[in-house]
Amino acid sequence: LSTFCLNFNLSYVDFLDYRVLQKSGPTNVRRYKVGVYFRGKRLAVGEGGSIQQSEMSAAENALNNSGKD
């Protein structure tokens, strides 16, 4: 997603924001749900076993959904 923004000369650091929306399960098998936001609008949500995995999933979902509008 960051590369996508760079291709359009957008300063993604100023606009992209990842927010943990939910944590569930015990610490040894915790699951995270993370939303990726662009200029305050949520683009997609991703889930995973770590925050980083969840962010990557959210970014992938945002790119996959970008042509569906």
Side-chain angles (χ1 to χ4, degrees):
L1 188 58
S2 299
T3 303
F4 177 82
C5 290
L6 287 174
N7 287 339
F8 288 96
N9 295 323
L10 299 172
S11 178
Y12 68 90
V13 175
D14 296 331
F15 299 109
L16 279 182
D17 184 29
Y18 292 91
R19 301 178 195 164
V20 176
L21 304 174
Q22 185 178 42
K23 293 187 272 187
S24 61
T27 55
N28 60 332
V29 288
R30 178 122 335 157
R31 299 289 297 171
Y32 296 91
K33 184 183 282 188
V34 171
V36 60
Y37 295 79
F38 183 73
R39 294 181 177 167
K41 179 182 175 189
R42 186 166 73 189
L43 301 178
V45 174
E47 295 186 45
S50 70
I51 294 174
Q52 184 178 9
Q53 284 177 341
S54 301
E55 288 175 348
M56 290 173 55
S57 176
E60 183 177 348
N61 291 339
L63 289 173
N64 290 337
N65 293 334
S66 64
K68 296 182 181 177
D69 291 339

